[in-house]
Amino acid sequence: MTVALNSLRIDLDRLMGRLNELGEIGALDGGGVCRLALTDEDRRGRDLVAGWMRELGLDVSIDRIGNVVGIRAGTQSGPPVMTGSHIDTVATGGIYDGNLGVLAGLEVVATLNDAGIVTKHPVAVGFFTNEEGARFQPDMMGSGVHQGALDLDAMLSVEGIDGTTVGADLAAINYDGDVVPGDFRARSFVELHVEQGPVLEEETVSIGAVTGVQGISWTEYRIHGVSNHAGTTPMHLRHDAGYAAAAIVVEARAIAAELGGDQVATVGVNDLTPNLVNVIAKEALVTVDLRNTDDDILKQAEARMASFVEDVAKVEGVRVDTRTLARFAPVRFDEAMIDVVEQTADALGHSVRRMPSGAGHDAQMFAPNCPTAMIFVPSKDGISHNVEEFTEPEQVRAGADILLQMMLTVAVQDDAHA
Ligand code: HGY
Ligand code: MN
Ligand code: MN
């Protein structure tokens, strides 16, 4: 039986078929996908994937933050061996980010079904609400509530960039489930995900054994100035929200350059009002995304940015309302599970290297509660959050086979670690 289990492999055509079919929902002209959390496209994607879960015989539940978990019974009851990720995307996303992890989980189940294997421990596959955090902040919202890191009621009342709340939009798409989240514990959690960076491709390594996730800090600055005539207003009389916003953009880059190392800084939102060629901007909405693997250095970056904003507000005579949109400390995955990723990749003949994750992931919410690991596969040109996102089918196969073997190992074993 053990030999047969070791030789079990996924069906790549079936997995790629599902990946491409899901990618049709919210497809953008010219490629890529827009399936923002809790939109009608998200609803259609959820319906499709939940339907596949039911076809595979999984017992599907929806919780109050809209997480969807399908469970395959084992010979024993108790905490399941779990995998999953997200199917919401950014507005200019690819078909792999998140989706690969969910559909590879379904492929693991389909492979076990085909082989007639019943594992000792239950197997679970989930997709979690609003991992991206593009429409509603913070990111990893659903998995954060699912694992007790974020408060359910606080998240349901979050107002998004379109002025609606999470709770209202969940009800609108009919995914305001009745299961109360927060105390679900898995036996272990493994997430397959595209790297979304250049390392594996540059080093021609097939698999990333992810050591952890870097710290994430998202801050929103609403800058209130005075609109005035671009031609008649002397420079010393201006209270230009647009100038303050631009200064923040330049300072974010300077902070990353001076701290060096893993420090990254991004201004992704920079909206001016009234945004007209001959009007000094009255308002500016700016977001700053700061990340670092070292929380102490990340705190230094945050402190520098905060004091800079205070100074520029004083000099320019504008008022700034500051709001924290997300703040997650760096997370380390379970050493024994990282070893299993490496050993499994080795056993299947794939090159593998340890590496941190630059992006946030649902797995980071499981890490404090159960042995957790992530498997990375390469991203072409290191691109993601971009319609050009791509991973070769054979790289998808390698990642999904390692996921299958890892879950199988843990699901048939007695001890807590894989
Ligand atoms: O922003 C992130 O790291 C993730 O895509 N939510
Ligand atoms: Mn993702
Ligand atoms: Mn993403």
Side-chain angles (χ1 to χ4, degrees):
M1 182 64 162
T2 315
V3 174
L5 294 185
N6 286 345
S7 61
L8 217 49
R9 295 292 181 267
I10 61 113
D11 176 333
L12 182 64
D13 290 344
R14 181 168 56 191
L15 172 50
M16 293 310 294
R18 287 204 171 106
L19 205 54
N20 289 314
E21 186 173 345
L22 179 54
E24 284 307 306
I25 298 179
L28 295 167
D29 292 344
V33 61
C34 174
R35 209 167 44 241
L36 288 165
L38 308 186
T39 58
D40 198 53
E41 290 78 17
D42 187 20
R43 176 188 62 77
R44 287 164 48 218
R46 287 165 167 264
D47 290 350
L48 181 65
V49 177
W52 284 333
M53 287 180 166
R54 293 187 180 96
E55 281 169 22
L56 288 167
L58 297 183
D59 177 15
V60 179
S61 69
I62 303 170
D63 72 18
R64 286 192 52 204
I65 196 77
N67 297 315
V68 179
V69 175
I71 296 190
R72 182 179 195 264
T75 53
Q76 282 181 359
S77 58
V81 172
M82 189 165 188
T83 187
S85 192
H86 60 96
I87 64 169
D88 66 301
T89 74
V90 293
T92 53
I95 66 168
Y96 301 88
D97 178 356
N99 303 298
L100 173 61
V102 177
L103 299 181
L106 294 191
E107 180 53 32
V108 166
V109 169
T111 306
L112 296 180
N113 289 352
D114 292 351
I117 291 169
V118 182
T119 54
K120 172 179 274 171
H121 304 293
V123 166
V125 185
F127 60 84
F128 302 101
T129 296
N130 186 38
E131 187 280 343
E132 291 295 0
R135 215 176 146 234
F136 301 96
Q137 292 82 35
D139 52 351
M140 284 76 72
M141 184 183 277
S143 49
V145 171
H146 189 264
Q147 287 299 299
L150 294 171
D151 177 74
L152 171 63
D153 292 330
M155 293 303 111
L156 289 172
S157 56
V158 163
E159 188 179 305
I161 60 175
D162 303 322
T164 57
T165 63
V166 167
D169 280 10
L170 270 173
I173 65 168
N174 223 359
Y175 274 89
D176 52 335
D178 45 18
V179 173
V180 177
D183 52 8
F184 183 108
R185 290 296 174 262
R187 186 175 183 78
S188 64
F189 187 85
V190 188
E191 180 174 358
L192 171 63
H193 204 287
V194 287
E195 177 202 340
Q196 303 180 288
V199 174
L200 292 176
E201 185 178 68
E202 265 169 17
E203 297 183 3
T204 54
V205 171
S206 304
I207 298 293
V210 185
T211 52
V213 178
Q214 67 177 343
I216 301 176
S217 162
W218 287 358
T219 306
E220 173 194 85
Y221 298 105
R222 273 186 190 284
I223 305 167
H224 308 277
V226 176
S227 55
N228 214 323
H229 194 295
T232 59
T233 314
M235 294 312 287
H236 69 285
L237 294 181
R238 294 180 181 217
H239 305 291
D240 184 345
Y243 166 76
I248 288 171
V249 175
V250 172
E251 179 64 10
R253 179 62 65 93
I255 290 171
E258 281 150 44
L259 288 176
D262 293 334
Q263 185 61 47
V264 289
T266 312
V267 172
V269 173
N270 187 359
D271 286 340
L272 301 186
T273 304
N275 208 32
L276 296 171
V277 63
N278 58 353
V279 180
I280 297 169
K282 175 176 178 358
E283 306 274 335
L285 176 68
V286 179
T287 59
V288 176
D289 176 325
L290 300 170
R291 306 198 196 195
N292 199 304
T293 50
D294 180 319
D295 210 29
D296 292 338
I297 303 177
L298 182 55
K299 285 177 185 153
Q300 286 175 37
E302 289 171 314
R304 267 196 57 173
M305 180 50 81
S307 79
F308 177 81
V309 171
E310 237 176 82
D311 294 348
V312 77
K314 242 183 248 133
V315 167
E316 190 60 22
V318 295
R319 182 170 57 79
V320 181
D321 296 335
T322 300
R323 187 161 70 103
T324 298
L325 299 178
R327 182 51 165 99
F328 298 118
V331 164
R332 187 104 188 120
F333 290 141
D334 180 275
E335 272 307 312
M337 289 288 275
I338 301 169
D339 287 345
V340 176
V341 177
E342 288 179 310
Q343 290 152 12
T344 311
D346 245 358
L348 271 63
H350 300 297
S351 54
V352 58
R353 61 103 83 202
R354 290 188 172 216
M355 60 193 296
S357 172
H361 296 290
D362 294 309
Q364 74 187 81
M365 296 300 171
F366 282 80
N369 300 331
C370 69
T372 299
M374 288 190 75
I375 306 158
F376 272 174
V377 289
S379 293
K380 188 169 177 328
D381 302 330
I383 280 180
S384 183
H385 285 191
N386 178 315
V387 295
E388 301 295 325
E389 182 185 84
F390 179 76
T391 295
E392 295 290 344
E394 281 311 312
Q395 293 168 332
V396 166
R397 181 202 300 277
D401 276 337
I402 291 166
L403 178 69
L404 168 66
Q405 284 300 320
M406 278 192 72
M407 289 187 72
L408 206 46
T409 310
V410 182
V412 300
Q413 273 191 357
D414 276 326
D415 63 344
H417 281 316

